[in-house]
Amino acid sequence: MDQKARRAAVTKALRARKVALRKGHWRIPGPEITWIVDLRADGPAPAAAMRFEIGAWASALGPEPDGGAVDCALLADVLLEGEAGAAATALVDRLAELGTVESLAAARSRGDFADAYVDRDLRELMGE
């Protein structure tokens, strides 16, 4: 499947889950954490690998940034593997479970998002 078809499948899956767009970025709000998701390709080739660029913003840190995932307090890449729509649905399910600072801290202690960039303020909130 080429990039255009994978992007279309991801968009269809996110819309089916009622994930809203804000300034061109998909948003998954939680009680304390809002997840921002962007879809990126590793290159222009139709068969290039794609990944979800995900960012987490805790409401305790102030207003949400406008720049998408890259401006968030937690930034990570998740490789898009398998069928694009199913991968998007699985990602929404995973992020929806991590809607509080406590749940995110617990996930990180289990090794989830171990390679993510996490800024100092969010680390302090999570007690890291």
Side-chain angles (χ1 to χ4, degrees):
M1 184 179 293
D2 69 358
Q3 274 192 51
K4 186 175 179 180
R6 286 181 283 169
R7 285 184 188 281
V10 166
T11 298
K12 183 177 179 180
L14 293 176
R15 284 185 179 154
R17 293 295 304 272
K18 306 287 191 240
V19 177
L21 273 173
R22 178 177 177 253
K23 297 187 179 182
H25 310 284
W26 298 101
R27 295 179 68 254
I28 304 166
E32 298 174 354
I33 293 185
T34 296
W35 291 93
I36 300 174
V37 180
D38 295 314
L39 186 59
R40 302 281 185 239
D42 286 351
M50 299 186 82
R51 55 191 76 245
F52 295 103
E53 182 179 69
I54 60 169
W57 187 261
S59 57
L61 299 177
E64 261 181 62
D66 288 332
V70 72
D71 287 342
C72 286
L74 179 146
L75 177 64
D77 285 337
V78 176
L79 190 61
L80 191 161
E81 297 179 304
E83 196 276 314
T89 299
L91 181 68
V92 170
D93 291 343
R94 179 179 178 197
L95 298 180
E97 292 175 358
L98 304 176
T100 64
V101 172
E102 182 180 336
S103 63
L104 178 57
R108 285 199 29 96
S109 70
R110 292 189 305 266
D112 287 352
F113 306 117
D115 59 345
Y117 164 79
V118 183
D119 77 6
R120 180 182 61 230
D121 294 335
L122 184 55
R123 286 185 191 275
E124 288 175 9
L125 275 176
M126 293 189 297
E128 290 185 1

